[in-house]
Amino acid sequence: MAVAERTQTQKLTFFTYPSCTSCRKAKAWLAENGVNYEERHLFKNPPTAEELLDIIKMTSNGLDEILSTRSQRFKNLDVDINDMSVKELLEMLSEEPQLLKRPILTDGENLIVGFNSSAMQNLLS
């Protein structure tokens, strides 16, 4: 199986939140396909500012791809993210991981945000 073979050479990190429906779907897909990964609880062990910078570098749309602008937490923010420096923004996201879309799955070179089984299959094949 190509999926299982690929995971032996690449470390996958899966940022998840247990009550998130998309996270549960992604976790089930990974289990069904025998994929090994490091699971990180997004709120208990959030990505650092440095990890977030690496994640943003893997996106095609930058911050918009990982920032959950529809979340209540984001709507309640009393800041304009356009006025923030990159460093300030990354630190805020690390301290407030509720502002991130989820799940986030990365092998260090590629990124999948949200549950997308075809993207997961492509990443792992």
Side-chain angles (χ1 to χ4, degrees), residues 24-84:
R24 289 194 306 264
K25 287 179 184 178
K27 188 173 184 174
W29 187 95
L30 292 168
E32 288 169 15
N33 288 278
V35 177
N36 295 319
Y37 57 90
E38 174 193 346
E39 183 173 354
R40 290 196 31 204
H41 191 291
L42 195 56
F43 300 161
K44 292 180 182 176
N45 189 9
T48 64
E50 294 79 20
E51 288 173 317
L52 287 166
L53 182 58
D54 290 338
I55 287 170
I56 290 171
K57 288 177 184 177
M58 290 180 261
T59 66
S60 52
N61 295 320
L63 186 61
D64 291 341
E65 204 166 314
I66 65 166
L67 184 62
S68 181
T69 56
R70 295 187 306 176
S71 71
Q72 192 60 48
R73 187 71 163 192
F74 181 81
K75 292 175 184 174
N76 290 340
L77 279 181
D78 191 25
V79 295
D80 183 351
I81 62 170
N82 295 317
D83 292 338
M84 298 176 77

Side-chain angles (χ1 to χ4, degrees), residues 85-121:
S85 71
V86 172
K87 181 180 179 186
E88 291 170 331
L89 187 56
L90 293 174
E91 288 174 357
M92 180 186 73
L93 291 174
S94 183
E95 293 169 7
E96 300 281 346
Q98 304 89 329
L99 298 173
L100 295 169
K101 291 181 182 177
R102 53 192 174 264
I104 297 173
L105 180 67
T106 182
D107 65 2
E109 295 177 13
N110 302 289
L111 178 71
I112 299 171
V113 179
F115 174 66
N116 182 331
S117 59
S118 61
M120 291 168 71
Q121 185 65 48

